[in-house]
Amino acid sequence: MSTPLERLKAREEAALFHTYGRYPLAVARASGSRLWDQEGGEYIDLLSGLAVTSLGHCHPEVAEAVAEQARTLVHVSNLFYQKEQVDLAERILETCHCGKVFFCNSGAEANEAAVKLARRYNRVVRETDAHQVITLEGSFHGRTLATAAATGQEKIKQGFDPLPEGFLHVPTGDLEAMEQAIGPQTAAVLVEVIQGEGGVNPLDGEYLRSVQELCRENGVLFMVDEIQTGLCRTGSFWAFQEYGLEPDVFTSAKAMANGLPMGACLATDEVARGFEPGSHATTFGGGPLLSRAALTVLDVMRRDRLDKRASDMGYRLKENLRHVSENNPGAIEEVRGRGMMLGIVLAENGQSVWRRLLDEGFVCNLTQDRVLRLLPALTIDPADLDAFAEALDTIL
Ligand SMILES: *Cc1c(COP(=O)(O)O)cnc(C)c1O
């Protein structure tokens, strides 16, 4: 006798590319920060589909907006003016210093747009040959050929060469290495403020401000990848705002439409001049359905001050985890991150701890072998965070 999960697994293995190592869980239904499997088993979700469902699963206002828009207008293509896309553009620009936005369908696409914009701005507007993009070791910027080339982790690139040229990685936090790498060929520097896939590594604020300064002095674009950190997750609307940064270009995606595919590349008015009609495009990006969903997400985030809530919940969880650490000397090396983006660095490989948490009904992610990564919904009930800390305490 096989279980429903075993049967699904067998069907998947026969039919799908073997690209994913799955968790032993098939989610049938979800609401807020709760998941239910095919047999009705209940889980507390501390992962939000990798920082995507920031408002919680199946948020009623987003569901309503999507259902209504699905009956009105879903797609016409970017050949047409679309009011929903303009509404969204105006609303997202109110949250930052940028003057223009381009909508696409994923994080990798948003970074591709940023790289293309950096090159084209240099070629067409500034009339230079600068084309190189400098990124950091341990970074993650996506899995398309160009964004894999931009990513500072070898395992992402293995077997895919030749990758597009013009990307250079320097050690994270090393200002001198950055200074040496920047030259007449440099078009842009691209950084994450907190490296997510790299193991929840917050970068030093002083370092980031110095990198921005270096970019300004050398006429190099300063670009920030906010795909995971953005949209209130780390305690401010955009993480670069807490560090006093003003990137020329930044990218967003994951949480934009609370689970529907949506990405964006934002830039100052000056840099946005690099694109003109025909230079960059997408079929689906910024369509009425997705834009309406994203507009609702932004409105809820601003109305309910989810930046502040993420920050408050982050303090609460960190405080809980400090007690867990004190109760279990030597088990936790460090708790890193901000707001609702935290990494619990365990002293040893975390596979068994991660698995026991799952068995106890807590879904989180294990990255870099021993970092338990938490990306809960910004709307999570504090009691759920307390329950997680208690379960971790017992397991450790
Ligand atoms: C997830 C992520 C990406 C890639 O986004 P996709 O939507 O998977 O293409 C890029 N950069 C960062 C920082 C991310 O966290």
Side-chain angles (χ1 to χ4, degrees):
M1 282 297 281
S2 59
T3 65
L5 181 63
E6 283 163 354
R7 287 196 293 276
L8 189 61
K9 192 174 162 193
R11 285 173 55 207
E12 157 155 339
E13 265 166 26
L16 284 167
F17 278 7
H18 298 169
T19 46
Y20 299 104
R22 307 267 196 210
Y23 293 173
L25 179 61
V27 179
R29 185 165 76 76
S31 175
S33 289
R34 285 289 187 286
L35 305 173
W36 290 275
D37 66 19
Q38 292 179 299
E39 289 154 284
E42 187 175 315
Y43 296 81
I44 292 178
D45 184 8
L46 297 146
L47 188 55
S48 316
L50 289 164
V52 168
T53 52
S54 282
L55 303 188
H57 294 282
C58 303
H59 189 278
E61 284 167 84
V62 179
E64 194 50 46
V66 167
E68 192 195 78
Q69 191 64 42
R71 288 188 292 261
T72 310
L73 182 67
V74 173
H75 175 84
V76 283
S77 90
N78 282 308
L79 293 171
F80 299 86
Y81 290 102
Q82 295 156 80
K83 180 180 179 299
E84 296 79 7
Q85 190 177 117
V86 180
D87 287 343
L88 175 63
E90 288 173 352
R91 205 76 109 248
I92 200 167
L93 292 171
E94 282 169 20
T95 67
C96 63
H97 62 286
C98 281
K100 296 279 186 291
V101 56
F102 176 87
F103 294 113
C104 53
N105 314 283
S106 69
E109 264 184 60
N111 283 339
E112 286 265 354
V115 170
K116 287 180 76 176
L117 179 62
R119 286 192 178 165
R120 207 167 189 283
Y121 172 71
N122 273 284
R123 292 276 158 71
V124 177
V125 181
R126 296 180 59 209
E127 299 181 347
T128 74
D129 256 346
H131 60 277
Q132 193 178 58
V133 176
I134 301 175
T135 65
L136 300 179
E137 287 175 5
S139 63
F140 181 78
H141 297 297
R143 300 236 187 207
T144 60
L145 288 171
T147 57
T151 293
Q153 299 183 56
E154 268 320 301
K155 64 176 190 211
I156 306 286
K157 310 177 195 233
Q158 248 164 40
F160 295 121
D161 52 286
L163 292 174
E165 292 171 32
F167 295 92
L168 181 70
H169 314 306
V170 298
T172 301
D174 186 341
L175 195 61
E176 212 166 294
M178 182 64 83
E179 202 164 355
Q180 274 168 15
I182 290 177
Q185 74 290 347
T186 313
V189 170
L190 171 65
V191 300
E192 295 157 272
V193 169
I194 302 176
Q195 293 180 340
E197 306 304 305
V200 195
N201 291 314
L203 271 59
D204 179 60
E206 200 54 49
Y207 166 74
L208 287 169
R209 284 186 292 276
S210 302
V211 170
Q212 176 177 271
E213 186 67 32
L214 261 181
C215 287
R216 299 272 139 88
E217 282 166 11
N218 289 280
V220 165
L221 297 180
F222 179 63
M223 313 202 296
V224 176
D225 179 339
E226 284 269 359
I227 288 164
Q228 188 162 150
T229 49
L231 298 164
C232 302
R233 178 145 298 275
T234 65
S236 54
F237 211 93
W238 304 102
F240 63 73
Q241 290 166 338
E242 324 167 7
Y243 290 80
L245 301 168
E246 272 203 2
D248 302 292
V249 178
F250 75 95
T251 51
S252 176
K254 289 191 163 81
M256 272 193 82
N258 212 47
L260 294 176
M262 184 87 183
C265 176
L266 297 95
T268 59
D269 282 313
E270 166 60 20
V271 177
R273 290 167 61 208
F275 283 160
E276 58 201 303
S279 48
H280 193 54
T282 160
T283 298
F284 294 116
L289 183 77
L290 297 164
S291 293
R292 183 75 189 282
L295 185 66
T296 310
V297 169
L298 287 185
D299 284 346
V300 171
M301 283 181 170
R302 293 174 77 183
R303 183 194 67 200
D304 296 349
R305 288 304 311 268
L306 293 187
D307 50 348
K308 172 141 192 336
R309 194 167 198 282
S311 171
D312 293 346
M313 291 298 114
Y315 278 116
R316 182 184 184 111
L317 184 53
K318 269 193 168 169
E319 194 54 26
N320 281 340
L321 292 171
R322 202 167 57 76
H323 291 304
V324 175
S325 185
E326 282 165 8
N327 288 345
N328 303 276
I332 296 176
E333 213 165 82
E334 188 188 0
V335 177
R336 302 194 290 233
R338 297 174 84 111
M340 289 283 81
M341 180 174 182
L342 296 181
I344 305 169
V345 187
L346 301 172
E348 290 165 20
N349 186 302
Q351 187 62 34
S352 66
V353 174
W354 172 84
R355 183 58 214 239
R356 285 200 52 198
L357 281 166
L358 188 66
D359 292 341
E360 300 284 324
F362 296 92
V363 173
C364 64
N365 169 242
L366 183 70
T367 179
Q368 307 290 322
D369 296 329
R370 58 191 187 100
V371 183
L372 287 175
R373 183 164 54 150
L374 306 179
L375 297 161
L378 312 181
T379 54
I380 192 168
D381 185 338
D384 289 346
L385 296 176
D386 298 351
F388 166 78
E390 209 168 294
L392 182 64
D393 194 15
T394 309
I395 291 166
L396 288 177

